[in-house]
Amino acid sequence: MHLSRSKRAWVAALVLVPAATLAVSRDARESIAGLIAPKAQAAGSVQLAADISSRRLRVVRNGDVVQSYTVAVGQASDPTPRGTYSIRRIVWNPAWVPPDEKWARGKTAKAPGEKGNPMRTAKIFFREPDYYIHGTPFTSSLGSAASRGCLRMSPSEVAELAHMVMNAGGVSRDWSWVKATLRMGDSRTVHLKRPVTITITG
């Protein structure tokens, strides 16, 4: 499954617009209605492979790389953990609660899509509760070591990846479900029926 440039642009625009605005936006409703569903995914097992040194995350199906993304990885002081992990949970429209860490002191919790929320579109947990793949508003950081240990992606690309992982994990949803979920404005958690493996090296 691969999103067209127009679909990625729509997702990127959507996650930056408050939910209340979306609820009354005629342009948003027309954009959603005009989207074409992505191509059906090919059958077969899916694994993810992240390389910290190259800042790339690859989707592998039946031994073939079917998609590749540029990501931001952990800083030297907060490295992304290497190893093999099982993805079992995805949160769409994530809220953000500041962790009990020195760097987060004085920061306040943010609702899904709220300005200042560093989480965008989806969180794909690979080592719970602290490490996940997530969309970021700081897209200029992609390709660098800039995170607190998580893997950052563009909001549109993490939507594509989360949808792919969700379907590979036995929770089949079409793209209209993704659109409706992003429009909803509330967080929605999906538990996979079967785990999807991610291996992090480099």
Side-chain angles (χ1 to χ4, degrees):
M1 184 273 291
H2 182 72
L3 295 185
S4 68
R5 183 177 297 178
S6 61
K7 294 185 185 69
R8 288 189 178 186
W10 176 84
V11 175
L14 176 62
V15 296
L16 296 176
V17 179
T21 301
L22 288 170
V24 297
S25 171
R26 179 179 178 182
D27 289 342
R29 290 197 299 270
E30 291 177 349
S31 296
I32 293 168
L35 281 180
I36 300 171
K39 295 180 180 179
Q41 298 176 27
S45 62
V46 167
Q47 297 86 37
L48 306 185
D51 185 282
I52 292 173
S53 60
S54 66
R55 288 31 165 177
R56 299 296 294 178
L57 173 63
R58 296 174 174 86
V59 181
V60 181
R61 179 181 286 115
N62 299 329
D64 296 323
V65 175
V66 297
Q67 188 56 279
S68 180
Y69 305 102
T70 299
V71 298
V73 301
Q75 305 169 46
S77 57
D78 294 287
T80 300
R82 294 163 173 82
T84 298
Y85 308 100
S86 294
I87 296 169
R88 302 177 185 273
R89 182 165 67 104
I90 297 171
V91 177
W92 292 90
N93 281 333
W96 183 69
V97 177
D100 186 18
E101 300 286 348
K102 183 177 181 180
W103 64 267
R105 289 176 186 170
K107 297 183 181 296
T108 59
K110 302 296 181 183
E114 184 179 354
K115 184 179 180 180
N117 183 345
M119 304 290 117
R120 287 288 189 261
T121 311
K123 291 168 65 174
I124 305 169
F125 287 84
F126 62 85
R127 200 177 95 174
E128 300 208 41
D130 297 322
Y131 295 98
Y132 36 84
I133 305 164
H134 69 88
T136 178
F138 309 115
T139 54
S140 62
S141 71
L142 300 180
S144 69
S147 79
R148 301 285 176 176
C150 293
L151 297 175
R152 294 179 183 173
M153 296 180 65
S154 78
S156 56
E157 290 182 340
V158 82
E160 177 180 81
L161 179 66
H163 185 233
M164 194 181 302
V165 169
M166 192 169 69
N167 281 276
V171 184
S172 297
R173 298 289 186 272
D174 59 21
W175 189 246
S176 63
W177 182 93
V178 173
K179 294 189 294 183
T181 299
L182 295 177
R183 276 287 305 273
M184 181 176 61
D186 296 325
S187 293
R188 178 174 290 187
T189 300
V190 173
H191 295 276
L192 304 185
K193 293 181 180 179
R194 53 180 177 268
V196 173
T197 299
I198 178 171
T199 299
I200 302 174
T201 59

